[in-house]
Amino acid sequence: MTLKLYELVGTDAARPFSPFCWRIRMALAHKGLDVETIPWRFTQKSEIAPFDSDKVPVLLDRDTSVCDSWAIAEYLEDTYPDRPSLFGGAGGRAMARMINSWGDVTLVAGLAPLIVADIVTKLGPEDAAYFRASREARFGKTLEQVSADRDRAVEGFRKSLLPMRLTLKAQPFLGGAAPNYADYIAFGGFQWARAVSPFALLTPDDPIYAWRDRLLDSFGGLARHSKGYPV
Ligand SMILES: N[C@@H](CCC(=O)N[C@@H](CS)C(=O)NCC(=O)O)C(=O)O
């Protein structure tokens, strides 16, 4: 039976934009598992409440539901061990846990101020009101104020990626010669930004730029064919 994935969208169901959902879309493709995506919006909390979640991604596999991208990645690895591995063994899984925290803390949280004012433009009125109120409370200023100095702030964001840049100077993927879940953790953030914002995060001479292109083209261009801005 096909797996199902609740995935964050705004007014356009063909523009999924959650960094965490993209980690899982790429992981499912890596495992060669078919998935039916269920578009979900911020204010549709009641739809995922039966699965004890108020956030996406939520994965349904027959009578099992799994919430949280890291838990879903582990579930896929353990439930489908005969498919290509996401972690490459116990050591890889342990290291990917650190990359997952780095992805949340440095990458997603570092990207958010740069694109948050663009996200709200992709939402319908009810979602936009919820998003604006919840995020403005978190940042302590308006979304537009948060993103106002992004031309300067992006420099700090680029600097924060130096460990990733140095890694990609030595090898094509964080996973080595081929991508693994570490790459999908990081890529989810860039695909989130690409889906909602025309803002240039990377310069073309950055090894991370070429890495992102390789992942956009992976799995038959799964991510590149999803709606987004040219990067
Ligand atoms: N740690 C979670 C984070 C999931 C998360 O924050 N999802 C966001 C979408 S990007 C969400 O559903 N937010 C709902 C809300 O803000 O109300 C994971 O890795 O899956």
Side-chain angles (χ1 to χ4, degrees):
M1 204 182 90
T2 304
L3 301 166
K4 295 185 179 167
L5 183 72
Y6 283 91
E7 185 176 61
L8 181 68
V9 298
T11 44
D12 187 347
R15 192 187 287 271
F17 65 89
S18 157
F20 310 105
C21 294
W22 270 106
R23 290 177 189 177
I24 299 308
R25 284 294 295 281
M26 299 296 278
L28 287 162
H30 180 105
K31 286 240 170 241
L33 293 166
D34 289 335
V35 65
E36 179 193 323
T37 56
I38 307 171
W40 179 87
R41 295 172 177 84
F42 281 115
T43 49
Q44 295 178 316
K45 302 270 185 218
S46 61
E47 285 198 22
I48 54 173
F51 311 115
D52 288 328
S53 186
D54 62 353
K55 292 186 174 66
V56 291
V58 175
L59 181 81
L60 308 183
D61 188 3
R62 298 184 195 87
D63 52 2
T64 302
S65 63
V66 193
C67 314
D68 185 86
S69 59
W70 177 257
I72 294 171
E74 290 206 289
Y75 170 84
L76 292 174
E77 186 76 340
D78 295 338
T79 309
Y80 299 97
D82 298 338
R83 303 290 183 126
S85 173
L86 288 171
F87 301 122
R93 185 185 303 220
M95 284 191 281
R97 189 184 286 279
M98 188 265 170
I99 304 275
N100 201 64
S101 299
W102 170 84
D104 293 352
V105 173
T106 301
L107 190 59
V108 171
L111 275 169
L114 307 178
I115 62 168
V116 76
D118 294 320
I119 295 176
V120 75
T121 68
K122 298 287 180 278
L123 306 176
E126 208 186 332
D127 286 336
Y130 164 77
F131 185 80
R132 183 174 284 283
S134 56
R135 272 51 177 185
E136 290 187 349
R138 195 179 292 171
F139 284 108
K141 39 183 148 167
T142 68
L143 302 183
E144 291 71 21
Q145 285 168 339
V146 173
S147 294
D149 76 334
R150 67 181 178 180
D151 289 332
R152 190 191 54 77
V154 72
E155 299 298 335
F157 170 73
R158 287 176 186 154
K159 280 202 182 101
S160 77
L161 301 179
L162 184 58
M164 180 175 180
R165 185 171 299 117
L166 293 173
T167 307
L168 293 173
K169 276 186 181 165
Q171 58 196 54
F173 295 101
L174 301 180
N180 69 10
Y181 194 65
D183 292 273
Y184 309 142
I185 291 167
F187 179 75
F190 289 101
Q191 180 70 352
W192 170 43
R194 176 186 168 275
V196 295
S197 176
F199 185 63
L201 296 170
L202 301 169
T203 56
D205 60 342
D206 191 331
I208 302 172
Y209 188 102
W211 163 89
R212 180 180 57 183
D213 261 350
R214 288 193 285 278
L215 285 165
L216 280 166
D217 291 331
S218 296
F219 312 121
L222 170 71
R224 198 183 289 283
H225 293 142
S226 185
K227 272 198 188 161
Y229 289 90
V231 286

